[in-house]
Amino acid sequence: EDDLPFVYEMHNDGFRALPTMGVLYPFGAMSDVLEVPGLEFNPMLLLHGEQRIEIRRPLPTSGRITSSSRIANIYDKGKAALVELECVSRDEQGNELCVNTSTLFIRGIGGFGGPKAPAKPSNTPPQRAPDAVDRCATTQNHALFYRLCGDVNPLHADP
């Protein structure tokens, strides 16, 4: 009942965009990394690492959204580089809707002497049995679903 406004446009409370829709806005910027001067790498060695979204206001169900991205940091991981992207998305009035921060782990271009990534707090699991276990087999071509969602990394189609 509470979720109907997210899936049914004629709901009494009105139609609403899923807040998680905002994670799609920076995907264009991720492919733009291929065009950054001096950052040359094989896209087959790029892995999408972390993803964080800060939602500043409800996302509109229609209208134009403009996103601007920047490389916030590049960290030297030894044999790889960790590129941190920040993407700010705004509505037609210029109101900030959300800020995405994502990391790209790019194998084979580390060792350039840059700064190391700051240490993050460790996530130590509790010393007990899990609350639940769910096992699910995927098909060998499961990665192709990423392409249907707009992720054109060749890794998903040509492993």
Side-chain angles (χ1 to χ4, degrees):
E1 180 78 25
D2 294 338
D3 296 333
L4 281 176
F6 296 111
V7 295
Y8 181 49
E9 65 279 4
M10 303 300 286
H11 191 271
N12 293 337
D13 293 336
F15 192 43
R16 292 187 292 196
L18 283 169
T20 54
M21 182 65 83
V23 301
L24 298 176
Y25 302 153
F27 273 91
M30 286 186 193
S31 61
D32 288 347
V33 165
L34 296 170
E35 308 300 323
V36 172
L39 188 62
E40 296 175 11
F41 62 93
N42 178 347
M44 296 288 282
L45 300 177
L46 181 150
L47 298 169
H48 181 182
E50 298 177 13
Q51 181 76 37
R52 178 175 158 222
I53 185 169
E54 295 175 43
I55 300 172
R56 303 283 168 86
R57 62 181 56 224
L59 303 181
T61 56
S62 64
R64 183 178 213 85
I65 294 172
T66 303
S67 298
S68 58
S69 300
R70 70 181 187 96
I71 294 178
N73 290 295
I74 300 179
Y75 299 112
D76 191 340
K77 301 292 281 181
K79 293 185 178 182
L82 187 67
V83 178
E84 185 179 79
L85 297 176
E86 181 183 87
C87 178
V88 179
S89 300
R90 300 177 188 278
D91 64 15
E92 293 170 302
Q93 291 73 43
N95 299 311
E96 227 175 69
L97 297 172
C98 59
V99 177
N100 277 276
T101 305
S102 52
T103 60
L104 306 176
F105 187 82
I106 307 173
R107 296 173 291 151
I109 64 168
F112 53 88
K116 305 291 181 207
K120 295 189 177 188
S122 63
N123 182 8
T124 306
Q127 296 298 313
R128 59 175 175 76
D131 296 330
V133 174
D134 187 17
R135 297 190 192 285
C136 178
T138 59
T139 62
Q140 285 188 330
N141 64 354
H142 192 84
L144 288 172
F145 285 111
Y146 287 100
R147 293 186 71 79
L148 294 174
C149 297
D151 187 340
V152 295
N153 185 334
L155 175 70
H156 300 134
D158 187 14

